[in-house]
């Protein structure tokens, strides 16, 4: 059996009926929740998509930095071998260059200059040019061997 309490017309304030104020507060909160229903789902979806986009951009940046480092390492290895006068080792070092890269070498007044340049693309992003440069002074015996 359920008892329903009625409010007499002469007393309608909350001091006489304290549980009535609790009911009013609960109904106001549930009305606010109804207007915001589904907002958590939308916020979660947007945050997951944003995190995925940021992660993919971070991977792209890490890939670009890695390609930059490979170009720099290749340029240094080639320049060092050319400065020593070891053409065979320089050709082996050229094999370590990323595929599709451009290698420019030059010798000027006993200084070997090597530049390795590569272009990267990721879908519509790009081209991004990365390059590595190295300058090494030739060793004395390497100058004598050159024609």
């Amino acid at each position: 059996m359920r008892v329903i309490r009625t409010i007499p017309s002469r007393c309608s304030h909350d001091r006489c009926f304290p549980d009535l104020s609790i009911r009013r507060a609960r109904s106001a909160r549930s009305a606010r929740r109804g207007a915001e229903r589904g907002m958590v789902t939308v916020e979660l979806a947007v945050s997951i998509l944003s995190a995925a986009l940021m992660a993919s951009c971070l991977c792209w940046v890490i890939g670009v930095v890695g390609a930059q480092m490979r170009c720099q390492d290749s340029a240094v290895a080639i320049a060092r071998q050319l400065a020593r006068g070891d053409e065979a080792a320089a050709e082996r070092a050229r094999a370590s260059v990323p595929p599709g890269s451009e290698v420019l070498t030059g010798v000027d007044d006993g200084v070997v200059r090597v530049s390795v340049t590569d272009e990267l693309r990721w879908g519509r992003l790009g081209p991004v040019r990365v390059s590595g440069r190295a300058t090494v002074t030739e060793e004395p015996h390497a100058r004598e061997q050159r024609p």
Side-chain angles (χ1 to χ4, degrees):
M1 180 175 186
R2 189 170 171 188
V3 176
I4 300 174
R5 186 182 287 181
T6 60
I7 301 171
S9 59
R10 62 189 164 128
C11 183
S12 63
H13 50 82
D14 294 338
R15 278 186 310 196
C16 295
F17 300 99
D19 58 335
L20 183 63
S21 64
I22 294 172
R23 284 186 198 155
R24 285 183 191 156
R26 284 184 186 159
S27 65
R29 272 185 274 160
S30 63
R32 269 185 296 177
R33 282 189 197 145
E36 296 177 2
R37 187 176 180 99
M39 283 301 292
V40 173
T41 306
V42 172
E43 291 169 357
L44 184 63
V46 168
S47 64
I48 288 174
L49 288 175
S50 299
L53 181 65
M54 287 177 57
S56 62
C57 288
L58 181 65
C59 288
W60 166 246
V61 169
I62 289 172
V64 168
V65 169
Q68 171 74 32
M69 290 174 58
R70 280 194 312 267
C71 288
Q72 182 65 36
D73 290 344
S74 298
V76 168
I78 294 168
R80 185 178 301 138
Q81 297 306 326
L82 288 175
R84 289 180 183 159
D86 192 358
E87 293 290 331
E91 286 302 318
R92 285 193 304 269
R94 284 178 203 231
S96 69
V97 172
S101 298
E102 179 183 3
V103 179
L104 300 173
T105 60
V107 180
D108 239 2
D109 295 329
V111 177
V112 177
R113 289 184 175 83
V114 178
S115 174
V116 179
T117 306
D118 193 13
E119 280 191 3
L120 303 174
R121 293 181 187 269
W122 184 44
R124 294 182 184 238
L125 291 178
V128 175
R129 293 181 65 91
V130 293
S131 64
R133 292 182 181 89
T135 304
V136 180
T137 305
E138 273 187 313
E139 293 183 7
H141 67 81
R143 286 186 208 152
E144 298 165 2
Q145 293 177 357
R146 193 173 344 113

